[in-house]
């Protein structure tokens, strides 16, 4: 990875040398003094080298090790060749830094050989059980020497990037020339006065070929040029098309309700080429790039999450003076080939979209950096919801079921510091669910394809359309911290029980107040597996109508005794709070 560095290598070596000397208070002794170590140990080291298939000089390394050990023995009273202290490794690295700083071109190679020989010697001691120091000291010394030989590039963060001054006219020209802006403009034109959508707020399947033609998308192949693996039944089966649709909705180019999509309040700006449209055009690019940088999983062990991390590092490095090198060599020649393939495919997509340039390295054009950097900030794989700064408060939530024939809702006061996983348990108890089906929280509507919060254990088997975040890691107050904040809870992907959650008040916690308390509610919650809102309404109606063809069957399913009627208006607040007491006992 590239990095943003403020010092040249010589300055960095000097700084590290000074830091080590401050830690050690050691005195650097000239290298190559008269040998003063056990010759038998060096001879055994030579034999060990010759029995190993190491790409090292079996004659040079023993000489360097002998000189190093003698130097360290004279530099610190009590030094043992088989039991180094971290200070010994630091002293050796000080010498290596001084050697590397010499003006001769070969001196850096000599410094590397000195350190490599010492590292090989420590491995020899460990391999032959000759190490007499502590395991912690051995690990410390080896890690220090490895760091000198293979310095790790620092992880870049968005705040590390210094944006160049960009003229607004130049920025507009660069942004509007991108394929994403051309495609979004075509999408807005296709929507025209309005188009019908499905219940999941995407165009109906019959209109997809026409939209694909307008956007220049080939429905016969996927984004990688391979035949599509399955028949297209929804826009959600064409991710590259869905990305444009969701970007357009997110920034107000289109407005989508339950039946139609129409031009949004910002539709006219997508074809504006003046600086007046710059905020909208920049936001369009930002939102599209953000969608490209989030593969759908946030679990740290998921391979797609790892490619997110690498791609974001390449992009950030592309905004520094040390961009990541671009090699045209064979990419698939080792055990990393699969991961490399994912990364290069993602980078190639960004290059095709002209968001990255590629010659000897990957770079982000200067005029695009404000939009791209903002996208990285929004897409950073570091979980933006994990925070220790949750407000110490209790929030009052109104949780209502969607689509029931009579209103069903609960008013719950809850500790804002509880995780979403606990809110899931609270909802299950408040509505009498059995927790026998999958569920998810979402900031937007259910099935909208955006960010969802699900149990960590579900990551392995859930096919999530949008971005998934472990619900155990997110405090309720980070999403529902202010009056009016909303969240959607979907339970049972067959019956589709959609719960709308809204913050009614935020208060300081009262002394000894419970973690969750039901304050009020209205009407009975539906039974588990009752067929969704329509099925539940049908069961209530049938159970009260002796002439209904399913009267007897449904009454038996509901567990009703002869003459007993189901009271859909019943609600027992005390029973809910008893369940909460058990839940948080």
């Amino acid at each position: 990875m590239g990095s943003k560095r403020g010092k040249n290598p010589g300055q960095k070596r000097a700084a590290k040398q000074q830091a080590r000397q401050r830690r050690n208070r050691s005195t650097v002794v000239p290298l190559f003094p008269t040998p003063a170590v056990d010759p038998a140990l060096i001879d055994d080291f030579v034999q060990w080298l010759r029995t190993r298939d190491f790409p090292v000089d079996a004659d040079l390394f023993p000489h360097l090790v002998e000189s190093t050990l003698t130097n360290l023995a004279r530099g610190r009273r009590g030094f043992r060749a088989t039991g180094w202290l971290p200070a010994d490794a630091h002293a050796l690295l000080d010498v290596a830094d001084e050697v590397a700083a010499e003006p001769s071109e070969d001196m850096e190679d000599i410094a590397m050989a000195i350190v490599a020989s010492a590292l090989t010697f420590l491995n020899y001691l460990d391999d032959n059980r000759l190490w007499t120091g502590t395991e912690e000291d051995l690990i410390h010394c080896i890690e220090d020497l490895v760091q000198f030989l293979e310095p790790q590039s620092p992880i870049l963060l968005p705040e590390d990037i210094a944006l160049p001054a960009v003229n607004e006219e130049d920025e507009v020209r660069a942004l509007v020339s991108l394929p994403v802006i051309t495609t979004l403009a075509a999408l807005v034109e296709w929507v025209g006065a309005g188009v019908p959508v499905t219940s999941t707020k995407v165009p109906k399947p019959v209109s997809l070929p026409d939209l694909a033609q307008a956007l220049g998308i080939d429905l016969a192949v996927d984004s990688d040029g391979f035949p599509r693996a399955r028949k297209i039944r929804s826009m959600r089966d064409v991710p590259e098309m869905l990305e444009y649709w969701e970007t357009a909705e997110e920034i107000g180019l289109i407005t989508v309700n339950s039946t139609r999509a129409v031009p949004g309040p910002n539709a006219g700006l997508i074809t504006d080429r003046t600086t007046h449209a710059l905020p909208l055009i920049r936001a369009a690019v930002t939102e599209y790039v953000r969608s490209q940088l989030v593969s759908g999983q946030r679990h740290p062990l998921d391979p797609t999450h790892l490619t997110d991390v690498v791609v974001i590092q390449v992009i950030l490095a592309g905004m520094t003076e040390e961009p990541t090198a671009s090699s045209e060599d064979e990419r698939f020649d080792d055990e990393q080939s699969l991961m490399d393939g994912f990364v290069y495919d993602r980078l190639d997509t960004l290059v095709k979209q002209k968001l990255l340039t590629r010659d000897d390295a990957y770079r982000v054009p200067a005029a695009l950096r404000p939009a791209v950097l903002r996208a990285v900030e929004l897409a950073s794989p570091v979980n933006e919801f994990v925070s220790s700064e949750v407000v110490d408060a209790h929030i009052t939530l109104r949780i209502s079921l969607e689509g029931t024939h009579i209103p069903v809702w609960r008013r719950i006061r809850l500790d804002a510091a509880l995780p979403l996983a606990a809110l899931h348990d609270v909802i299950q108890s408040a509505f009498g669910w059995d927790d026998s089906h999958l569920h998810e929280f979402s900031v937007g509507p259910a099935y909208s394809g955006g960010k969802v919060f699900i149990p960590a254990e579900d990551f392995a088997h859930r096919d999530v359309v949008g971005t998934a975040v472990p619900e155990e890691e997110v405090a309720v107050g980070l999403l529902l911290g202010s009056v009016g904040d909303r969240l959607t809870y979907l339970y049972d992907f067959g019956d589709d029980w959609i719960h709308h959650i809204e913050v009614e008040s935020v208060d300081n916690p009262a002394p000894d107040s419970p973690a969750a308390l039901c304050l009020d509610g209205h009407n009975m919650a539906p039974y588990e597996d009752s067929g969704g809102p329509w099925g539940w309404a049908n069961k209530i109606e049938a159970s009260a109508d002796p002439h209904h063809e399913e009267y007897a069957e449904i009454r038996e399913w509901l567990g009703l005794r002869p003459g007993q009627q189901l009271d859909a208006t019943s609600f027992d607040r005390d029973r809910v709070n008893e369940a909460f007491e058990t839940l948080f006992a």
Side-chain angles (χ1 to χ4, degrees), residues 63-83:
H63 171 65
L64 292 176
V65 167
E66 187 174 28
S67 298
T68 295
L69 297 178
T70 301
N71 176 63
L72 294 176
R74 293 188 174 184
R76 182 176 66 82
R77 186 182 300 275
F79 168 79
R80 287 176 296 151
T82 59

Side-chain angles (χ1 to χ4, degrees), residues 417-438:
L418 290 173
L420 283 182
L423 178 55
H424 155 70
D425 293 333
V426 165
I427 295 174
Q428 289 286 313
S429 296
F431 287 83
W433 303 124
D434 296 337
D435 199 8
S436 57
H437 300 282
L438 295 173

Side-chain angles (χ1 to χ4, degrees), residues 7 68 129 133 172 298 322 361 379 479 505 531 537:
K7 299 179 180 179
T68 295
R129 300 184 178 180
V172 169
R298 297 300 277 269
E322 297 185 22
L479 297 175
S505 66

Side-chain angles (χ1 to χ4, degrees), residues 109-439:
D109 290 340
I110 293 175
M112 298 289 280
I114 293 170
V115 176
S117 65
L119 178 62
T120 304
F121 178 72
L122 293 180
N123 285 322
Y124 150 76
L125 295 176
D126 186 39
D127 190 49
N128 291 277
R129 300 184 178 180
L130 297 174
W131 178 258
T132 58
T134 68
E135 183 178 1
E136 291 78 9
D137 286 345
L138 176 63
I139 293 173
H140 189 131
C141 292
I142 287 177
E143 287 180 346
D144 281 353
L145 300 187
V146 168
Q147 176 64 24
F148 183 93
L149 297 172
E150 301 177 3
Q152 299 297 311
S153 299
I155 296 296
L156 285 170
L157 299 174
E159 53 263 36
D160 296 328
I161 305 303
L163 291 176
V166 179
N167 178 276
E168 288 190 349
E169 286 82 2
D170 292 340
E171 185 178 358
V172 169
R173 279 193 293 270
L175 291 173
V176 300
S177 68
L178 296 174
V180 58
I181 298 301
T182 303
T183 304
L184 286 173
L187 189 152
V188 171
E189 182 179 1
W190 179 83
V191 168
V195 295
V197 297
T198 67
S199 59
T200 59
K201 301 177 65 177
V202 295
K204 293 187 175 182
V206 69
S207 64
L208 295 184
D210 186 42
L211 175 57
Q213 183 177 5
L215 302 186
I217 294 175
D218 186 352
L219 293 181
V221 297
D222 61 23
S223 58
D224 296 320
F226 296 104
R228 295 196 184 273
R230 59 183 181 181
K231 182 179 179 180
I232 296 173
R233 294 184 173 87
S234 165
M235 176 185 277
R236 300 188 185 282
D237 295 327
V238 190
E240 59 271 37
M241 185 184 290
L242 182 63
E243 287 167 355
Y244 288 115
W245 184 263
E246 291 182 337
T247 296
E249 183 179 9
E250 179 69 23
I251 64 172
L253 297 180
I254 59 175
T255 299
V256 187
N257 57 35
S258 59
T259 59
R260 292 181 67 79
V262 297
N266 296 326
L269 292 174
I270 195 65
T271 55
D272 191 338
R273 297 299 182 259
T274 68
T275 56
H276 173 67
L278 178 56
L280 182 279
I281 301 295
R282 185 190 290 157
V285 174
T286 290
E287 178 58 24
Y288 180 76
V289 175
R290 184 204 63 78
S291 71
Q292 295 292 308
L293 300 182
V294 180
S295 302
Q297 300 292 352
R298 297 300 277 269
H299 196 282
L301 298 182
D302 190 276
T304 56
H305 169 87
L306 298 178
T307 63
D308 292 340
V309 173
V310 176
V311 170
I312 285 175
Q313 285 297 297
V314 173
I315 290 173
L316 289 174
M319 291 187 264
T320 72
E321 295 180 356
E322 297 185 22
T324 302
S326 170
S327 173
E328 296 300 326
D329 296 339
E330 177 59 49
R331 295 170 174 175
F332 311 108
D333 56 358
D334 58 27
E335 68 275 8
Q336 287 280 319
S337 61
L338 184 60
M339 182 66 71
D340 289 346
F342 289 150
V343 170
Y344 281 115
D345 286 346
R346 302 269 297 282
L347 293 174
D348 286 346
T349 297
L350 295 171
V351 171
K352 291 176 183 177
Q353 290 289 332
K354 300 182 180 180
L355 296 160
L356 281 179
T357 62
R358 181 181 63 206
D359 36 48
D360 62 322
Y362 292 98
R363 294 179 174 85
V364 180
L368 303 183
R369 292 179 188 178
V372 174
L373 182 60
R374 179 56 181 159
V376 172
E377 292 172 348
L378 295 174
S380 176
V382 177
N383 191 341
E384 69 268 37
F385 299 102
V386 177
S387 171
S388 60
E389 299 180 358
V390 180
V391 176
D392 182 17
H394 276 190
I395 53 178
T396 299
L397 308 175
R398 180 186 168 98
I399 307 173
S400 56
L401 267 177
E402 178 183 292
T404 52
H405 67 296
I406 57 175
V408 177
W409 56 269
R410 305 287 183 261
R411 180 170 288 115
I412 308 294
R413 191 175 68 204
L414 193 72
D415 186 342
L418 290 173
L420 283 182
L423 178 55
H424 155 70
D425 293 333
V426 165
I427 295 174
Q428 289 286 313
S429 296
F431 287 83
W433 303 124
D434 296 337
D435 199 8
S436 57
H437 300 282
L438 295 173
H439 71 274

Side-chain angles (χ1 to χ4, degrees), residues 534-548:
W534 179 88
W536 175 240
N538 182 65
K539 286 178 171 56
I540 292 176
E541 179 183 353
S543 69
D545 182 4
H547 302 293
H548 196 285

Side-chain angles (χ1 to χ4, degrees), residues 28-88:
V28 177
V29 180
L31 195 65
F32 306 124
T34 304
V37 295
D38 184 359
L41 185 63
I42 300 300
D43 290 342
D44 192 52
F45 175 54
V46 172
Q47 296 304 316
W48 179 80
L49 279 177
R50 289 175 176 167
T51 61
R52 296 295 186 275
D53 187 23
F54 288 157
V56 301
D57 190 328
D59 295 322
L60 174 62
F61 267 36
H63 171 65
L64 292 176
V65 167
E66 187 174 28
S67 298
T68 295
L69 297 178
T70 301
N71 176 63
L72 294 176
R74 293 188 174 184
R76 182 176 66 82
R77 186 182 300 275
F79 168 79
R80 287 176 296 151
T82 59
W84 296 25
L85 297 178
D88 300 320

